[in-house]
Amino acid sequence: MGIRFVLLVNKQGQTRLAQYYEYLTLEERRALEGEIVRKCLTRTEQQCSFVEHRNYKVVYRRYASLFFLVGVDNEENELAVLEFIHLFVETMDRHFGNVAHFMLEEMVMNGCVVETSKSNILAPIQLMDKAA
Amino acid sequence: MAGSSSGPSLMDSLFQRTLDDLIKSLRSATAISGADSPSLVLSRAVDDIRREIRASDQTTKAIALQKLTYICALHGVDISWAAFHPSSFSRPLSSSTRNWAISPPPSLRKDLSSRVIPRPPSPSNFSPPRRLCGPRPRPLCGTLISPLQHPTSDSRQVDCRFAPILHPYPDSVRVAFKRLVENLECADQRVVSAAVGVFCELSAVDPKSYLPLAPEFYRILVDCRNNWILIKVLKIFSRLAPLEPRLAKRIVDPVCDHLRQSSAKSLVFECIRTVFTSLDGFDDAVKLGVEKLGEFLASEDDPNLRYLGLKGLSMLQPIHLWAVEESREIVVKSLGDPDSNIQREALHLIGDGIGCQPDRDINHPSQLRLKSDPEFANEILGEILSACCRNFYELVVDFDWYDIEHHLVDIGLRVKDARPELVRVARDLLIDPALLGNPFICRILSAAAWVSGEYVELSRNPVELVEALLQPRVSLLPVSARAVYIQSVFKVLIFCLHSYLEQDGAGKDNASNVQRAHTSNDSAETKGFLTDDSLKHILDLIEMSLNPLVECSEVELQERARNILGFISALQRERPRNCKLITVMADAFLEDLGPVSANAQGRVLVPDGVSLRDDLSDLDGILEAQEEDLPSLTESKSLLAEHRRQHEVYYLPKESSEAEKEGYPRANEAPSSVGRGHIAEGSIQDLIKLTKESLGPRRTKPRPVVVKLDEGESVPTASSLKSVEPRDDPLSGVVREEDIFREPISEEIKGTMIPRSTGESAPHSDENLGDLQKGGRHHRSHSHRRQGRDGAQSRPETEDRGEEGKVSHKGSHRSNHPRRHRRKEEAEGPLNVIQQAPPGQDLLL
């Protein structure tokens, strides 16, 4: 299934954005977020960005005070996912605002990364803004 | 409009709050309850949304939807009630619609007009789609598929969305298949990407059916420049290749090309993964992969790459061990990496590889970790033990396990938290009679016995332990191990007696004291409860098992057996003083022995007047000179030589002068008047000093005892290894005697021990009467002397007489005072001070 979820978490551990590509109940999600966030937040810079959790992996990266966590299957290529996170961040960087969610929508569908060109991702959003 | 209002205000109702406002108000809501609480804000927001979503204005609806999405994602509020409404959106591609289109509530994925794009299924959605799809799958699929026909770029999204439907409804595959395949050839990368993604998922489930598509994928593999697509295609191939060998052959080349040329590490890694998992029959490819992996491992600044390197190696593990061998160095170094993930990977790698080629070096880095990280140490121990357990303890090379045994002991010493676990593990090892027959594992067993004895207070069932330690099959073990066993029995006995005493003292009237924990496995408390019966049982068992050893020709065993038996008989003899005796013994064992560093010896000051020489080569000169006068010396030399040949392993290497510095306690001094001593050449070879601190840091080698070759001289010896003096110089330093048991040995025991060998014991044993040596638990101090072949039995003596006579006194000397008796046989017995590193003792330092 590729990507199972994408979370954006701040330094205090509060989830700022959560996108799940598999079905989990609210309690499960909360528990999951709690565990994973705790694991990732306590890691240092020198440690690698991959954390194994149960039967899948979490790839994370920290940008300023925000942690980007992506949960992927075991077969997934971790470096590619890291790339994806970076892409996401850069895309958002180009266009800040509340559209992080929309961008993610453009980039990932059904758990698969479908769009990797920043301009392509931003086009619809920019269109939206122009029209609005 | 945001802000904490206490009730709906006019403003609120007039203006719809946007998503921003909502987020701000949610974030600023901090109170637990009341107007400001998050839950209240949330429920009000949901109410607002319900209202707004029914509005006719598209914008309002859109914003409401946005908010709803946000809430659903972050707070999991149920929004299935909203399912219907978004579908009432009309077609035009306005920004607001687009808005909605991008973030429709999750429950929708039906209405597929070509413009309105449903959102991917998300959590709270899973049941609704099924609900919808259930009764009418075909038509629904039809609606899903029809957009596929639509030549817009949106088909990519449809493609992806397709996959979950395909799983439960495989029929739909056929319908959509053609279209999907066409998409593969589409000029638009995005479409291709989406299609490949779908196939990736599909092939995970059923690779066979997608084999015919291989040529398509091959084309993509070769032509495509988009790394993401390539990665997906590689995944597909890794599933297809095992099914069709010809396919494997064809793709090897392009894959290797990518491997060589690509600058994208992710692609490289994926290629490596593909090669290792499905193309491992192709040596060249594997070699190339390993090379690239080496680059990963070597990257200094990126722990991610190192981690992936190790993971990659582990993919190769079972078959291509040579690759792991090559990178062994790096793997070992990784054990010391600051990142725990990397360490764990390295450990697993090593653990897997250890069965084939154990390497002593591996254990050294793990020692580093042992010191700093108890949790990791546990993992190491677990890994080591599991490696032990593999193949029913089939071990390849002996010395490797020697090190592992060091580990067990070292961990016990250093890592307090690991002790209970160690004890438990040790118990398991000890109880199993099958292990006793295995020649390779004896050292582990002796480490296990040591651990059990040392930390007996942590064990659950001491009686069981005693039984395990004394089981008949133990006689299959080599002497060194058996010696440790016996010593452990001693410790356990002391512990039991002591606890018995304590519990007796605690409340004689207390009926609960009678509780026995013969077979109890529960709480630690129960172990303290020993009944009279169980104690008797232990004592009987000990007597029964050890009596035969009293006459054993192996000196260590004999000595220890006699120790214990003597102790037991002392207990029985001295009824009134029993308790005191036991208490004293228990105190002796109370002190935790800690590890001693290898440099400890170096830090001990050399007393004045003593000049230590590293190399005893000048002994030779002296010996030569004396040779003619000492026929006995020659004889002893030859005996020694012969003995050495036979027991090579127990001797220190001749050239090593390091041994002297290693953890040997300083022998005390006074080279006094031992009388004329001749140097037994052999005895000098071992530069072992007895520990000063009997109770202090253990692991110090027991002070070697040098025996003089005097004829008839009952002079004691001295102790330290000093330079050899000319024979007329009454230097006792030449001869040393060794101390075997530093354990507390009561007078009786000494008395029993002594007469045996030389028969001259009486005088000196008396001297020691009245002292109880509270030597430290030196179970490992097997420095006993090996007897010469023809039983030149210089009796090992325990000389210790704590000078201060204090029990747990670090400074107590075991000095051999000059007037100590040294007995020795004249003419014989070069005393070989064999210092035997009790398994695991010194090398760890």
Side-chain angles (χ1 to χ4, degrees), chain B residues 50-87:
Chain B
R50 271 184 219 253
R51 253 185 317 113
E52 290 158 8
I53 212 162
R54 291 195 197 103
S56 45
D57 177 25
Q58 299 279 16
T59 323
T60 318
K61 267 195 177 167
I63 294 181
L65 269 170
Q66 277 183 19
K67 291 194 285 186
L68 195 59
T69 318
Y70 178 82
I71 291 179
C72 169
L74 246 49
H75 301 277
V77 173
D78 177 34
I79 56 170
S80 42
W81 50 266
F84 175 70
H85 300 286
S87 48

Side-chain angles (χ1 to χ4, degrees), chain B residues 269-537:
Chain B
F269 186 66
E270 195 63 38
C271 291
I272 293 177
R273 187 189 277 169
T274 312
V275 168
F276 286 179
T277 50
S278 352
L279 299 176
D280 56 351
F282 298 86
D283 282 339
D284 291 338
V286 175
K287 278 207 193 65
L288 181 58
V290 174
E291 208 184 290
K292 289 282 171 185
L293 216 49
E295 285 171 28
F296 273 44
L297 282 171
S299 69
E300 287 289 332
D301 44 353
D302 192 351
N304 292 336
L305 290 179
R306 289 204 296 271
Y307 177 75
L308 288 177
L310 288 174
K311 274 221 109 104
L313 279 181
S314 60
M315 282 191 252
L316 274 184
Q317 231 2 326
I319 313 176
H320 295 272
L321 282 162
W322 52 268
V324 185
E325 289 309 305
E326 277 175 18
S327 342
R328 175 173 290 274
E329 274 277 328
I330 306 184
V331 174
V332 169
K333 209 161 55 85
S334 309
L335 274 180
D337 199 288
D339 183 348
S340 60
N341 272 0
I342 291 184
Q343 282 175 338
R344 218 168 286 133
E345 273 307 309
L347 187 61
H348 287 146
L349 260 182
I350 289 178
D352 288 339
I354 212 170
C356 297
Q357 219 195 69
D359 189 355
R360 189 181 283 217
D361 296 348
I362 289 172
N363 291 322
H364 286 224
S366 33
Q367 290 169 30
L368 296 172
R369 302 313 305 171
L370 284 179
K371 292 196 197 121
S372 30
D373 191 348
E375 190 187 298
F376 191 57
N378 275 342
E379 286 202 34
I380 292 182
L381 182 63
E383 193 68 38
I384 292 174
L385 286 176
S386 70
C388 263
C389 296
R390 234 169 280 162
N391 296 330
F392 297 99
Y393 297 94
E394 183 183 50
L395 307 175
V396 180
V397 177
D398 207 16
F399 71 81
D400 186 54
W401 303 111
Y402 187 64
D403 255 319
I404 289 198
E405 148 202 33
H406 282 185
H407 268 295
L408 289 177
V409 173
D410 201 34
I411 289 175
L413 282 180
R414 294 178 201 266
V415 185
K416 285 212 164 62
D417 298 331
R419 282 180 197 166
E421 187 63 28
L422 263 184
V423 167
R424 198 187 54 77
V425 165
R427 172 203 164 267
D428 292 339
L429 284 175
L430 288 173
I431 287 195
D432 186 352
L435 295 182
L436 291 170
N438 184 331
F440 294 115
I441 210 177
C442 64
R443 294 199 208 212
I444 307 271
L445 288 177
S446 67
W450 186 84
V451 163
S452 312
E454 185 81 5
Y455 305 118
V456 64
E457 63 273 8
L458 296 172
S459 98
R460 298 227 191 106
N461 191 343
V463 178
E464 177 190 51
L465 208 49
V466 172
E467 286 170 1
L469 287 169
L470 290 174
Q471 59 185 297
R473 273 174 71 95
V474 167
S475 52
L476 292 174
L477 290 176
V479 174
S480 55
R482 288 169 71 189
V484 178
Y485 268 58
I486 299 178
Q487 204 53 32
S488 293
V489 168
F490 194 21
K491 289 187 224 172
V492 176
L493 175 66
I494 299 282
F495 172 75
C496 291
L497 289 172
H498 191 63
S499 338
Y500 180 73
L501 269 192
E502 278 188 338
Q503 92 199 22
D504 247 7
K508 293 209 167 3
D509 44 355
N510 205 338
S512 63
N513 267 354
V514 183
Q515 281 0 289
R516 179 28 299 244
H518 249 288
T519 47
S520 111
N521 317 339
D522 356 310
S523 65
E525 273 131 298
T526 51
K527 74 173 187 296
F529 291 100
L530 295 168
T531 56
D532 287 351
D533 283 342
S534 59
L535 262 190
K536 278 214 192 64
H537 171 67

